[in-house]
Amino acid sequence: MDFFSTKDSATKQVALDLALSVFMEYEAPDYPREGVEEFKRAMNDKEYVGLLSFYVAKEGNDIVGMLATRKEGHHVALLFVEGKWHRRGVGKRLLEYMVRDTKVDSLTVNSAPYAHEFYKKIGFVDVDGEQESNGIRYFPMRFDDCYSAIGEEMQSDRVLLRPWYGFDAKALYKYASDPEVGPRAGWQPHRSIEESKCIIKDVFGNDTTWAIVLKSTNEPIGTIGYMPIYDMNINHGEDEPLVGYWVGKPYWNQGICTEALRLMLDKIRRDGKYKILYCSHYVDNPASGRVMVKCGFEYTGDTVVDSTLCVGEGKEMKVYRLSL
């Protein structure tokens, strides 16, 4: 599925037609007649439509989702997805694409009752109770700290690597709160969704860290990236970074990390900045080492202790090296 912004009049009209069709099927039943007529009027108001910036989701030759914003991207005016694509991540991907395009750090929306749970699920919060204007029922909502990291997207058959967004906090917490995940990689399990949101902003908000997204569900299930080597006693040269990755427990032993690591290594090779990479794993986590070997890393014979990690202090780690 492709996501893109558009200024083409014909494409915008198709998007508006989709919005009206979905509105009539799913939202109009909750509205008084006055509200339905007001929505139809807005869809045909050239002055109103002229103020909107449009984004669409396209599957093959068909537009299956649309997003329109006002206030330079800060307000979601319209967000509609064809019924058969509901609950498949299309609306969230449209928001992510728009945030990446506009680099806005906060969003507002007047959510229809039908969409209220969708917006809450991805992190929007109510700023007031249900309102009504000209028959249009809505909940005023807001999302702060959207974050739009600048980084290249990459994909394979099963996996998409993309930047993290504030919308991903609940999904991150779902997997990073598991006590069997974080300690294997040297960090404490996340204690709240708010902590996960802070991690996205303060740790993942860069152009060398990606969410590992399962394409079949559009859900982030782990993280991969690289960073400078700090305090690990690895005998490394300048510009020889350390690679790290993890996925949620339900996706262990399915080749997901291997697939994601190969994608990232292909990008690093294309960029041509680095010639040597390092990677490491705790001695009691050999599965991580098998991923490294499958991707061409070789065990150096060295073990080190990483004093920067939050858990596993004093535990030895095996060091692997890859020549690009």
Side-chain angles (χ1 to χ4, degrees), residues 69-120:
T69 64
R70 294 189 289 115
K71 300 180 180 179
E72 298 180 330
H74 285 280
H75 182 75
V76 177
L78 302 167
L79 177 56
F80 291 92
V81 176
E82 188 179 338
K84 68 180 181 181
W85 289 95
H86 284 184
R87 296 177 177 84
R88 297 173 69 176
V90 179
K92 182 169 177 280
R93 282 287 281 155
L94 278 165
L95 286 168
E96 291 166 355
Y97 185 93
M98 183 275 293
V99 167
R100 184 179 172 87
D101 182 55
T102 60
K103 302 177 179 60
V104 295
D105 59 0
S106 63
L107 288 171
T108 59
V109 66
N110 292 330
S111 169
Y114 182 83
H116 193 215
E117 287 302 315
F118 161 75
Y119 284 110
K120 286 201 296 185

Side-chain angles (χ1 to χ4, degrees), residues 265-323:
L265 292 177
D266 287 344
K267 172 192 162 36
I268 293 172
R269 288 188 178 98
R270 289 195 304 271
D271 291 347
K273 181 178 179 180
Y274 303 112
K275 301 301 181 186
I276 301 293
L277 299 174
Y278 285 90
C279 209
S280 63
H281 68 85
Y282 285 133
V283 293
D284 60 356
N285 184 20
S288 187
R290 290 194 290 272
V291 171
M292 299 170 198
V293 171
K294 288 177 183 177
C295 293
F297 283 82
E298 295 182 349
Y299 179 43
T300 64
D302 297 329
T303 56
V304 298
V305 173
D306 187 351
S307 61
T308 66
L309 297 179
C310 299
V311 296
E313 184 177 353
K315 285 180 63 176
E316 289 190 330
M317 307 178 77
K318 289 187 173 183
V319 178
Y320 293 73
R321 183 177 185 270
L322 174 66
S323 298

Side-chain angles (χ1 to χ4, degrees), residues 41-275:
R41 184 200 62 77
M43 294 299 94
N44 291 289
D45 185 334
K46 291 184 179 179
E47 183 177 354
Y48 171 74
V49 170
L51 296 174
L52 303 179
S53 297
F54 282 76
Y55 298 83
V56 297
K58 197 169 185 180
E59 179 69 12
N61 294 320
D62 299 324
I63 291 176
V64 300
M66 65 84 66
L67 166 66
T69 64
R70 294 189 289 115
K71 300 180 180 179
E72 298 180 330
H74 285 280
H75 182 75
V76 177
L78 302 167
L79 177 56
F80 291 92
V81 176
E82 188 179 338
K84 68 180 181 181
W85 289 95
H86 284 184
R87 296 177 177 84
R88 297 173 69 176
V90 179
K92 182 169 177 280
R93 282 287 281 155
L94 278 165
L95 286 168
E96 291 166 355
Y97 185 93
M98 183 275 293
V99 167
R100 184 179 172 87
D101 182 55
T102 60
K103 302 177 179 60
V104 295
D105 59 0
S106 63
L107 288 171
T108 59
V109 66
N110 292 330
S111 169
Y114 182 83
H116 193 215
E117 287 302 315
F118 161 75
Y119 284 110
K120 286 201 296 185
K121 183 178 179 180
I122 62 174
F124 280 79
V125 296
D126 291 323
V127 296
D128 206 340
E130 183 176 338
Q131 310 286 307
E132 184 174 323
S133 176
N134 297 325
I136 298 289
R137 296 172 55 205
Y138 64 92
F139 292 86
M141 305 185 79
R142 183 177 183 88
F143 193 106
D144 292 314
D145 299 324
C146 299
Y147 326 129
S148 179
I150 305 300
E152 179 181 333
E153 290 191 356
M154 301 157 273
Q155 59 182 307
S156 60
D157 289 342
R158 294 186 297 168
V159 168
L160 168 70
L161 302 188
R162 62 154 173 81
W164 283 92
Y165 297 91
F167 304 126
D168 298 321
K170 286 188 177 181
L172 175 59
Y173 176 71
K174 175 181 176 180
Y175 297 111
S177 59
D178 188 333
E180 293 193 54
V181 175
R184 288 172 176 260
W187 44 270
Q188 296 281 5
H190 292 196
R191 293 164 292 185
S192 67
I193 293 174
E194 189 59 34
E195 180 181 15
S196 293
K197 194 174 181 182
C198 290
I199 293 293
I200 291 172
K201 180 180 180 181
D202 299 333
V203 181
F204 297 164
N206 56 68
D207 61 359
T208 62
T209 302
W210 292 267
I212 301 174
V213 178
L214 196 64
K215 290 171 65 175
S216 61
T217 63
N218 196 40
E219 181 183 40
I221 60 170
T223 304
I224 192 166
Y226 59 91
M227 67 204 77
I229 297 175
Y230 299 112
D231 302 327
M232 283 186 65
N233 299 315
I234 293 178
N235 184 23
H236 66 93
E238 210 171 323
D239 286 333
E240 295 179 356
L242 182 72
V243 170
Y245 49 81
W246 64 269
V247 293
K249 187 177 178 181
Y251 302 98
W252 290 356
N253 303 314
Q254 297 181 36
I256 299 293
C257 277
T258 302
E259 201 165 318
L261 182 54
R262 284 173 175 157
L263 273 176
M264 188 180 74
L265 292 177
D266 287 344
K267 172 192 162 36
I268 293 172
R269 288 188 178 98
R270 289 195 304 271
D271 291 347
K273 181 178 179 180
Y274 303 112
K275 301 301 181 186

